[in-house]
Amino acid sequence: MKTILMADPVRYPRMTTDELRETFLLDSLYEPGKLQLNYVDLDRSVVGFAAPTDSPLALSADPDLRATYCTERRELGALNIGGAGAITVEGKSYELNNLDVLYIGRGNKDVTFASKSKSAPAVYYLLSYPAHAVYPVALVRKEEASPTELGSLETCNKRTICKYIHLQGARSCQLVMGVTHLATGSNWNTMPPHTHMRRSEIYMYFNVAPEARVMHFMGPPAETRHIVMSDKGVVVSPGWSIHAGVGTRAYSFCWGMGGENQDYADMDPAPVESLR
């Protein structure tokens, strides 16, 4: 498991494009038939993909976690962005269709990921944070994710926000997780942008066409940079950074947060006119 070390806002302005990508972008986690994870020192998050094809993939503890199993001291959210599949937790199977999410609480030793069909395999995006309390396993269907319409076509940001793991949904210790879908003809997400020092955020862009790209904007409002993202790319956003993006066509992304405050509305606005 590769360990990613974050840069602070003092080092950040002097970073080259390659240094920015090496530090904040995780773009090689998805590989069919494998389960791959990275450890990010920011809020001690673990992020990756499980992409089972021929046989199930078991969630095992990397030696760097210093744990006997992955969720010994952690909680985990799993979003299926592929075909139908099933996640087995301590012998109980949970069937997940496209855009369903399974929350797996601390203390579940045996976790495996499977696909229903090799020709249309499931693809599980995984996000994990340390947990100091135990919450039960919870399956959230996409229809149950409190879809909320925001933005407009006039501002190129008409989008649907779906909340899965949050204070009014599936409960967790600190993990907050959801998905945003851009409407056809809209390109901007999280605009106007914001920061939130009480928690970090991780974006995973998906449903990005092979020829399309998303320009992810980051940094303090007065010192912004961009990172060019492709399908299933993951970008880490520290609390001091904005997180917004614009695509060459419509796309979706999963947002996940960990930190001391689970209040979805806890954010510090960064008006567009303040951006530099």
Side-chain angles (χ1 to χ4, degrees):
M1 182 165 60
K2 182 180 179 181
T3 297
I4 309 298
L5 303 178
M6 283 293 100
D8 60 38
V10 177
R11 176 189 168 210
Y12 155 83
R14 300 190 296 272
M15 297 176 75
T16 65
T17 296
D18 286 344
E19 289 171 335
L20 284 171
R21 293 178 69 85
E22 181 181 358
T23 303
F24 298 101
L25 174 64
L26 315 176
D27 63 349
S28 59
L29 284 170
Y30 168 73
E31 186 172 345
K34 292 187 178 182
L35 192 159
Q36 299 192 118
L37 300 171
N38 278 181
Y39 183 94
V40 183
D41 69 340
L42 184 65
D43 285 320
R44 296 180 176 86
S45 53
V46 171
V47 59
F49 284 94
T53 52
D54 296 321
S55 57
L57 297 171
L59 181 66
S60 58
D62 189 277
D64 289 343
L65 289 180
R66 302 293 194 271
T68 57
Y69 58 96
C70 189
T71 60
E72 183 178 12
R73 300 184 300 270
R74 291 183 157 271
E75 59 188 356
L76 172 72
L79 165 69
N80 183 11
I81 61 170
I87 301 177
T88 301
V89 182
E90 297 293 345
K92 183 176 180 179
S93 179
Y94 299 85
E95 294 191 358
L96 278 77
N97 297 316
N98 182 259
L99 296 179
D100 291 343
V101 166
L102 186 69
Y103 169 78
I104 303 169
R106 170 180 172 171
N108 289 287
K109 183 176 182 180
D110 297 316
V111 180
T112 59
F113 303 91
S115 295
K116 292 291 185 182
S117 169
K118 181 180 177 180
S119 61
V123 177
Y124 302 100
Y125 170 65
L126 310 177
L127 184 59
S128 170
Y129 286 94
H132 308 291
V134 177
Y135 288 90
V137 176
L139 174 60
V140 185
R141 301 292 185 190
K142 66 178 181 180
E143 298 84 5
E144 304 167 343
S146 307
T148 303
E149 302 288 337
L150 289 179
S152 67
L153 291 176
E154 288 77 11
T155 51
C156 301
N157 66 349
K158 185 177 181 181
R159 60 199 189 272
T160 302
I161 296 178
C162 300
K163 302 175 187 176
Y164 290 84
I165 303 171
H166 61 111
L167 288 175
Q168 288 75 42
R171 292 301 310 276
S172 68
C173 180
Q174 65 166 317
L175 173 64
V176 177
M177 195 170 180
V179 172
T180 296
H181 304 284
L182 273 292
T184 300
S186 285
N187 306 92
W188 279 105
N189 72 66
T190 325
M191 185 59 66
H194 57 267
T195 61
H196 31 66
M197 287 299 295
R198 276 70 57 190
R199 60 194 180 201
S200 58
E201 188 157 7
I202 296 177
Y203 275 17
M204 185 277 292
Y205 289 98
F206 66 103
N207 290 342
V208 180
E211 72 282 4
R213 292 296 183 269
V214 176
M215 315 300 160
H216 179 86
F217 291 92
M218 64 166 297
E223 188 79 45
T224 60
R225 301 287 188 274
H226 75 274
I227 296 177
V228 180
M229 309 282 298
S230 56
D231 191 49
K232 299 183 183 64
V234 177
V235 64
V236 181
S237 180
W240 46 266
S241 175
I242 65 166
H243 32 281
V246 60
T248 57
R249 59 185 297 177
Y251 55 92
S252 300
F253 67 98
C254 176
W255 42 268
M257 294 174 273
E260 66 172 299
N261 194 340
Q262 291 181 290
D263 180 5
Y264 177 81
D266 177 18
M267 57 188 71
D268 302 309
V272 173
E273 57 269 27
S274 72
L275 300 180
R276 297 291 184 271

